Amino acid sequence: MKIIILGAGQVGTTLALNLEGEDNDITLIDTDSKRLRDIQDHLDLRTITGHGAYPDVLYNAGIEDADMLVAVTNSDEVNMIACQIAHSLYQTPTKIARIRSPNYHNKDIIFKDNHIPVDVVISPEKLVTQYITRLIENPGAFQVLDFAEGKVRLVAVRAYYGGPLVGNALSELKHHLPNVDTRVAAIFRRGAPIVPTGHTIIEADDEVFFLAAKKHIRSVMSELQRLEKNYTRVMIAGGGNIGEGLAKALESKMQVKIIERSPERAQELADVLHDTLVLQGDVSDEDMLKDENIGDFDLFISVTNDDEANIMSALLAKKLGVRKTMVLINRTAYVDLIQGHQIDIAISPQQVTIGSLLKHIRRGLVSNVYSLRRGAAEAIEAVAKGNEQSSLVVGRTIGELPLPPGTSIGAIVRDDQVLIAHENIIIRENDHVVLFMVDKAYIHDVERLFQVNVTYF
């Protein structure tokens, strides 16, 4: 595909990194020429310096025959105008825009061809809020991903001593949980992927990715670690869009406090949050945290727009006795450095957002994509279409499918039924197939599997 990315910030650069090497023709536009030179030193793509909403800049980038425009600058208005220009002057087939302000999201009619022609609206703040909410619902997990509208979930947990399955073969899982159907999709041991079999021994500190219906998640987690108590008291540091969204999602279920530095913003939050205590102050103020009894809280979530403030406030909260910490980290390089020590979970908004972009770029009938392990691995939800003559998957058993190396099918969702994958299951039309790839270098092979022969139409 010929793709133009507008904005060389964290999201735009991460998207380019994920797409580079996949036979896509990528052009990256930004006003910062130095940043573009730095990116071009590491990635094989074309760059254009200029304002991405200007018709001449888009023309020089090749918009007249581009398949897709992805506008992810820090300005909602620039992103919307760029999509308008691409539509009005060049009839670009697919236009994706990053829209951060919730004020725009309340009016869906805005984003129509006869108004502002944006085909897909991406809200990183909304996606991150949903991502953190799923983590809070599943204490002990460090990734929780939804497929088929939440009917099945992919959960990543670290195996610890005390989990009944640790030190035992995976085949023991069905004996421990005879009434629970689950599948371990992948294991990462000391950073290297392992394709699991029934004979694979689970070791302490393994990162285990498993698929199960939502109602069975806690049961499977209990096999890999001691189950943690549900969170009941949460403190949020940072009252931006993410902090506000989290407070709204949680305040009816648990005790929530939120800290915001700006007096004006703190007042705005107090006006819209009904059951959350809003505190105005510095998130790294040790006296404030002590006064608010941070040591009695289950979870401290730091989501300001400053990585250092997030890290330092979480370290301070941990020192003062909070049970768990989560931090938002924009610099991807920091994530691996800090997660798993005093910081329990580090969240990269770029990695959370990238899947929502990739699902519109992947070929074949792909309805969900999640980028894992900093883009090295992917979890994909593909829809089976066609018949035995026009499709490579419909009418065939899972065991008959020519899956590329390191790729496994974890589950099939058929209407409201979740079928954990077994080799003898026959795939039917309209099945949602959840796949796990430990090496996304084979992504095109998976895409081809789910493409339908033109004769079907």
Side-chain angles (χ1 to χ4, degrees), residues 45 69 138 277 316:
L45 47 74
L69 172 70
N138 297 275
L277 179 61
L316 180 58

Side-chain angles (χ1 to χ4, degrees), residues 62-172:
I63 193 68
E64 76 279 4
D65 62 348
D67 298 296
M68 181 179 294
L69 172 70
V70 183
V72 287
T73 75
N74 286 327
S75 168
D76 291 350
E77 291 73 24
V78 168
N79 296 338
M80 289 188 284
I81 292 299
C83 289
Q84 180 73 68
I85 297 295
H87 176 79
S88 300
L89 299 186
Y90 305 107
Q91 294 77 52
T92 304
T94 303
K95 300 162 292 296
I96 300 175
R98 173 189 186 179
I99 306 296
R100 302 178 68 183
S101 173
N103 292 309
Y104 290 121
H105 290 281
N106 296 333
K107 307 290 183 185
D108 290 341
I109 195 172
I110 294 174
F111 302 109
K112 304 293 181 184
D113 281 357
N114 56 341
H115 297 295
I116 300 174
V118 178
D119 300 299
V120 181
V121 174
I122 299 292
S123 168
E125 287 82 359
K126 186 176 180 180
L127 293 169
V128 170
T129 301
Q130 293 169 344
Y131 183 90
I132 296 175
T133 302
R134 290 196 297 268
L135 288 173
I136 292 171
E137 291 172 354
N138 297 275
F142 63 86
Q143 260 188 320
V144 182
L145 308 174
D146 273 347
F147 293 96
E149 299 177 340
K151 294 184 182 73
V152 65
R153 283 183 163 177
L154 176 70
V155 179
V157 297
R158 194 174 297 279
Y160 292 122
Y161 290 115
L165 196 62
V166 177
N168 291 298
L170 270 179
S171 57
E172 290 296 309

Side-chain angles (χ1 to χ4, degrees), residues 273-336:
L273 298 173
H274 307 297
D275 296 303
T276 297
L277 179 61
V278 180
L279 306 168
Q280 189 270 311
D282 189 332
V283 297
S284 298
D285 184 337
E286 183 170 356
D287 289 335
M288 171 185 273
L289 293 178
K290 285 180 177 176
D291 290 344
E292 297 302 326
N293 301 310
I294 185 63
D296 296 332
F297 276 71
D298 301 307
L299 179 63
F300 181 86
I301 311 171
S302 197
V303 288
T304 76
N305 57 8
D306 184 317
D307 285 355
E308 285 75 15
N310 290 342
I311 293 169
M312 295 309 295
S313 62
L315 290 174
L316 180 58
K318 196 76 167 186
K319 173 190 165 188
L320 296 174
V322 75
R323 184 175 123 206
K324 276 291 187 73
T325 56
M326 294 183 193
V327 299
L328 196 67
I329 300 294
N330 284 289
R331 296 185 193 177
T332 309
Y334 282 10
V335 173
D336 289 336

Side-chain angles (χ1 to χ4, degrees), residues 187-208:
I187 297 170
F188 288 85
R189 182 171 295 161
R190 292 179 285 279
I194 296 173
V195 178
T197 68
H199 302 293
T200 303
I201 305 294
I202 298 294
E203 296 183 7
D205 214 38
D206 282 353
E207 293 179 18
V208 181

